[in-house]
Amino acid sequence: MSFRTSFCGFIFLFLSVLPSFTSPTLLFQGFDWESSNKQGGWYNSLKNSVSDIAAAGITHVWLPPPSQSAASQGYLPGRLYDLDGSKYGSQDELKDDAPYADGNGNPDSGVDYPDAPDIDHLNPRVQKELSDWMNWLKSEIGFVGWHFSLAKGYAPSITKIYMENTSPDFAVGQKWDDLSLGQGGPDAHRRALKDWVNSAGGSVAAIDFTTKGVLQAAVQDELWRLKDSNGKPPGLIGILPQNAVTFIDNHDTGSTQKHWPFPSDKVMQGYAYILTHPGIPSIFYDHFFDWGLKEEIGNLVAIRNRNGINTTSSVNILAADADLYVARINEKIIVKIGPKMDLGNLIPSNFQLATTGTNYIVWEEGRRQKYFCELLISSY
C-alpha cells in the first residue's frame, strides 16, 4: 500500500492573520466538528469573519486538514495534494482566505490508531515526501505552521524531523493523555508534556491539556487547584509557558463531540484565566461567534496586548481558595476569578477596573492616570 493511502495522521495548518509577528502569538481555532457540512463551503464562510478575527488581535488561525479525505472532517487524508477534494472548499477558496492553516500524522513508532492503517515515519522516503508536501502547503497555499494532531501516534523524534525539514513559523502538537486530578496527577501529566516538547527538539509547542483539565475542575468551587505546591500555575504554563498552548475547548472536547467539555456556564471564567496568564492562548470559533462572546473575549485580548502579557510573563498568586482565585501578572494586571467579593487588601489602590463579567474581574495598574496623561500631551 502506498504511503498516501496509508497515511492516517493529519497536519492542520496555521495561517497568519496579521502582516507581522511583532505581537505575542494568539491563536484562533477557525473550525469545529461540523464545519465541513457548511452550505457554500467553510472557507467561503470563514472569509466573512476575517475582519472580526484580525480586529480581536489574533495572530494565527488554525484551519482543518485541507486535503481530500475519506472522512468529511479531513482526518483520513488520501490524495494529499488534492485540495479541491476537501469538504471545506476548493484550493482557490483556501488561498483566498490567506493568511491561515493546520496539520498531523500516525506511524509504527507510537500508539495505534485503529481507524486507519499505520504509516512508517521512520522510512526516509516517507519523511521526504511528507516534508515536500508540507513545504508545498507553505510556498503554494500560504500556510505558516502546523498542528500535529494525535502526536503520540509516532515518536517525538519524528516530529523533530518534520520541524527541521519544514521550518514553520509556529507549530503545536496534540499529546492528549488521561489526567488524574489526585495528588501528583497534574504534575506528572504536565511533565510528560514537557518531556515530549524536549524530545521533539524544543521548538514545537504542546497543547496544555493539564491546564484545561485542572481549570475546568477549579471553576466548579475548587479554585484552590490553580496553585501548585510551589505557588505556581499547575499546568504546563507553570513549568514551560513558552511552549504551552492553552485553550478552553476545541472541536474534540467541545463542539458537537463534547468528549471533555468545559462547564458551559463558566467558559468566560476560563478565558479570563488563559488570556491573562502566560502561555499561548487559543480562542475557539464556537465561543467567539456562535456563543456571542466576541466582545467579552475581545476585551480580555485587548488587556493582554495592552500590558504585554506573553509566554514568559510572571505570575504572583495572591489567593487560591475554593471560591476565590486572585493573581497578579507581570506586576501590571490583576485577575480575580470566583464568586467571592470580599477581597480585603488584595487589590492595591493604584489598580483600576479594566473589565468584568460573571464571576471574574480584571484590573490594570494606573490605567486612568495613564490615559489622563496621554490626553494632556495630545492637547498641545
Side-chain angles (χ1 to χ4, degrees):
M1 184 178 293
S2 72
F3 84 89
R4 285 177 183 164
T5 56
S6 64
F7 181 55
C8 59
F10 326 96
I11 292 185
F12 300 92
L13 311 161
F14 284 101
L15 291 168
S16 169
V17 176
L18 299 181
S20 71
F21 296 93
T22 55
S23 300
T25 302
L26 178 63
L27 309 181
F28 182 88
Q29 181 173 348
F31 68 99
D32 62 25
W33 193 247
E34 304 300 327
S35 297
S36 60
N37 301 320
K38 182 72 173 179
Q39 284 287 90
W42 186 248
Y43 297 149
N44 283 333
S45 175
L46 192 61
K47 221 182 303 187
N48 299 323
S49 303
V50 169
S51 59
D52 286 335
I53 294 170
I58 289 156
T59 61
H60 295 70
V61 177
W62 166 19
L63 291 187
S67 300
Q68 178 273 338
S69 169
S72 63
Q73 293 85 3
Y75 289 89
L76 293 174
R79 300 186 299 272
L80 298 185
Y81 286 87
D82 181 7
L83 306 194
D84 289 325
S86 170
K87 296 296 184 182
Y88 296 100
S90 69
Q91 176 172 320
D92 287 342
E93 290 166 352
L94 176 58
K95 292 176 74 173
D96 282 346
D97 273 352
Y100 45 73
D102 167 5
N104 165 12
N106 179 25
D108 295 325
S109 58
V111 300
D112 188 35
Y113 182 67
D115 293 335
D118 282 338
I119 175 175
D120 183 11
H121 284 281
L122 299 176
N123 186 318
R125 179 187 171 188
V126 171
Q127 294 172 8
K128 181 182 184 305
E129 295 201 31
L130 287 179
S131 297
D132 288 346
W133 170 63
M134 294 164 74
N135 282 319
W136 176 81
L137 289 171
K138 286 177 60 182
S139 62
E140 180 65 24
I141 308 302
F143 289 124
V144 299
W146 320 122
H147 174 285
F148 295 97
S149 185
L150 192 62
K152 64 180 182 178
Y154 44 88
S157 59
I158 300 298
T159 302
K160 181 180 179 181
I161 289 172
Y162 291 128
M163 290 289 292
E164 292 174 346
N165 288 352
T166 63
S167 302
D169 289 324
F170 177 79
V172 59
Q174 177 180 306
K175 183 181 184 296
W176 187 357
D177 297 318
D178 291 338
L179 170 64
S180 169
L181 292 174
Q183 186 174 6
D187 188 58
H189 192 269
R190 65 179 177 176
R191 291 195 178 280
L193 288 175
K194 181 180 180 181
D195 290 345
W196 179 86
V197 168
N198 290 335
S199 297
S203 60
V204 64
I207 295 181
D208 192 350
F209 285 104
T210 315
T211 288
K212 174 182 168 55
V214 174
L215 181 58
Q216 65 187 35
V219 294
Q220 301 181 83
D221 301 319
E222 297 179 353
L223 290 165
W224 52 267
R225 292 185 179 277
L226 296 180
K227 182 179 181 180
D228 71 10
S229 59
N230 295 313
K232 296 182 177 295
L236 185 61
I237 62 170
I239 58 174
L240 197 67
Q242 64 271 27
N243 294 82
V245 171
T246 53
F247 76 112
I248 302 304
D249 268 323
N250 61 27
H251 60 294
D252 289 323
T253 66
S255 189
T256 55
Q257 296 200 93
K258 293 181 170 59
H259 289 317
W260 200 32
F262 204 91
S264 59
D265 60 334
K266 296 176 173 62
V267 160
M268 280 310 305
Q269 292 180 56
Y271 278 112
Y273 183 86
I274 69 169
L275 289 172
T276 58
H277 280 61
I280 305 166
S282 180
I283 299 166
F284 189 30
Y285 179 96
D286 289 14
H287 296 154
F288 195 76
F289 288 113
D290 297 344
W291 290 34
L293 301 177
K294 180 172 66 174
E295 183 176 351
E296 275 195 86
I297 291 173
N299 289 338
L300 290 167
V301 172
I303 293 167
R304 180 182 186 85
N305 290 340
R306 193 160 58 231
N307 290 279
I309 307 304
N310 55 44
T311 58
T312 59
S313 294
S314 62
V315 179
N316 181 13
I317 299 175
L318 306 176
D321 303 317
D323 56 355
L324 176 67
Y325 173 82
V326 180
R328 187 166 176 168
I329 299 90
N330 258 15
E331 300 298 320
K332 292 182 177 181
I333 67 172
I334 296 176
V335 60
K336 171 258 180 190
I337 300 171
K340 186 175 180 179
M341 293 303 297
D342 182 5
L343 305 181
N345 298 319
L346 289 176
I347 313 301
S349 59
N350 61 320
F351 275 74
Q352 309 295 333
L353 178 67
T355 193
T356 184
T358 302
N359 289 334
Y360 75 88
I361 304 173
V362 181
W363 295 266
E364 290 177 286
E365 183 181 21
R367 187 180 177 208
R368 288 178 183 170
Q369 291 88 334
K370 177 183 177 183
Y371 286 178
F372 180 67
C373 291
E374 288 176 349
L375 178 62
L376 288 176
I377 292 170
S378 64
S379 66
Y380 288 96

